[in-house]
Amino acid sequence: MTIQISIYVLGLLIALALLFDFMNGFHDAANAIATVVSTGVLKPQTAVAMAATFNFVAIFIFHQLTVAATVGKGTIDPTVVDQYVIFGALMGAIFWNLFTWYYGIPSSSSHALIGGLVGAAVAKSGTGALVSAGLWKTVAFIVISPLLGFIFGSIMMLIVSWVFVRSTPRKVDKWFRRLQLFSAAAYSLGHGGNDAQKTIGIIWMLLIAAGYSSAADSMPPLWVIISCYTAISFGTLFGGWRIVKTMGQKITKLKPVGGFCAETGGAITLFLSTALGIPVSTTHTITGAIVGVGSSQKMSAVRWGVAGNIVWAWIFTIPASAFVAAIAWWIGHHIM
């Protein structure tokens, strides 16, 4: 069913979606650069420039928009989508991003968006509007993605420790200061490839509902893809500095070798999730990898209290953004 929507409202909602995409990069920049900055390998300005560049380069790597398809067609019933649902979803996600950024909490922009969609859709049509298969897959990866990050980060740390067992700490540090440039770039590729597609999915969903695209299309318009990758890259370039310290130093003390292992473990998880079409949280992924690196050395190296506070933020993300989205959906009916 095609909805009646003015070109001005459509443009406003697309701009709002790109604002969310920008904020996604801004909020999650810390995930990509925290380790490489905290280990002293790169200065903050250089790190964000590199991360932003590879966020955009991901457009040439991830040709199959599987994550966009999951968000656009596999989260809520496409027939309930209208301008009010999209407005509510985006406002719920943007509110949660701003709230957690202000308090320096590494939460998930991805799950804030999913929560926003859920809240707005349920406010309009009840729980029957939800696509359970896609939602359960996303919810399951709230646990699975940090677990995979933890496993891959731990394995990388153990392998590196075994390979370099006879090397001096100075030599190891020298090698991994160089290698961490590659691991940080790989993580930024994974970040751009997974996260930009979530906004692509939202805009694609809106265009289909408004009759400007067809549900039978395998790809959204090219301008949507380029706009979303550009927006998230610029967001990363401006960086969310409040979260860098929490991610890079408060969870565990990282050296270049640990930063390399955490970023590599996180990148493997993101590449795998994107290939499977699962919208995962880069925050969850890198946090799990950092904890895995720290605990592989000794359990006391991890500040479990800080990690526990972060987990609580993960738990509240979807219901909190859903609640705000439901309110925004109601407000949208009176202002749009």
Side-chain angles (χ1 to χ4, degrees):
M1 181 179 69
T2 302
I3 61 173
Q4 297 298 317
I5 179 173
S6 73
I7 192 68
Y8 302 106
V9 172
L10 181 64
L12 176 65
L13 290 174
I14 290 173
L16 194 61
L18 292 176
L19 174 62
F20 166 77
D21 202 25
F22 175 89
M23 289 184 61
N24 190 341
F26 182 87
H27 186 277
D28 289 359
N31 303 337
I33 69 168
T35 51
V36 77
V37 170
S38 297
T39 56
V41 171
L42 289 178
K43 293 181 178 179
Q45 293 82 358
T46 307
V48 291
M50 184 187 75
T53 299
F54 281 97
N55 277 176
F56 188 81
V57 169
I59 196 173
F60 304 107
I61 306 297
F62 299 98
H63 300 292
Q64 299 299 318
L65 300 179
T66 50
V67 174
T70 298
V71 172
K73 302 175 183 179
T75 304
I76 62 175
D77 184 352
T79 62
V80 307
V81 174
D82 58 17
Q83 60 268 45
Y84 309 115
V85 169
I86 296 297
F87 175 76
L90 290 171
M91 291 305 295
I94 289 171
F95 167 82
W96 187 249
N97 270 1
L98 284 172
F99 178 82
T100 52
W101 166 79
Y102 182 81
Y103 287 102
I105 303 169
S107 68
S108 168
S109 298
S110 309
H111 293 132
L113 183 60
I114 298 298
L117 284 171
V118 168
V122 170
K124 178 184 179 180
S125 302
T127 55
L130 306 180
V131 178
S132 57
L135 280 176
W136 278 118
K137 183 166 62 174
T138 302
V139 170
F141 266 75
I142 293 177
V143 176
I144 295 172
S145 64
L147 182 60
L148 287 176
F150 179 93
I151 292 171
F152 289 134
S154 300
I155 290 173
M156 286 299 302
M157 194 67 192
L158 291 172
I159 291 173
V160 166
S161 298
W162 180 75
V163 171
F164 289 88
V165 66
R166 298 187 183 278
S167 300
T168 63
R170 184 176 180 180
K171 185 177 180 181
V172 170
D173 188 76
K174 181 180 178 181
W175 268 101
F176 282 94
R177 281 184 173 275
R178 297 170 181 171
L179 289 173
Q180 203 181 353
L181 297 176
F182 293 98
S183 61
Y187 191 84
S188 295
L189 274 176
H191 175 213
N194 199 280
D195 277 19
Q197 288 193 39
K198 293 155 191 170
T199 308
I200 292 172
I202 287 287
I203 297 176
W204 193 7
M205 181 190 297
L206 180 62
L207 292 177
I208 291 172
Y212 290 95
S213 187
S214 170
D217 293 340
S218 59
M219 295 282 284
L222 182 61
W223 66 264
V224 175
I225 300 172
I226 294 174
S227 298
C228 289
Y229 274 100
T230 301
I232 198 170
S233 299
F234 272 105
T236 298
L237 193 61
F238 285 91
W241 299 110
R242 288 176 180 266
I243 304 173
V244 170
K245 189 175 180 181
T246 299
M247 296 298 294
Q249 294 295 341
K250 285 189 177 180
I251 298 175
T252 189
K253 184 72 173 178
L254 287 174
K255 295 180 179 179
V257 61
F260 169 83
C261 293
E263 288 161 352
T264 303
I268 293 171
T269 304
L270 290 179
F271 275 64
L272 178 63
S273 302
T274 303
L276 294 173
I278 302 170
V280 298
S281 165
T282 54
T283 307
H284 295 192
T285 303
I286 195 64
T287 302
I290 290 171
V291 171
V293 167
S295 60
S296 68
Q297 299 169 74
K298 57 180 180 178
M299 296 298 285
S300 60
V302 177
R303 296 183 178 92
W304 294 101
V306 174
N309 291 337
I310 292 172
V311 171
W312 277 113
W314 297 354
I315 293 171
F316 284 119
T317 292
I318 289 181
S321 54
F323 177 74
V324 175
I327 296 173
W329 172 85
W330 182 83
I331 293 173
H333 271 280
H334 294 80
I335 66 172
M336 295 175 66

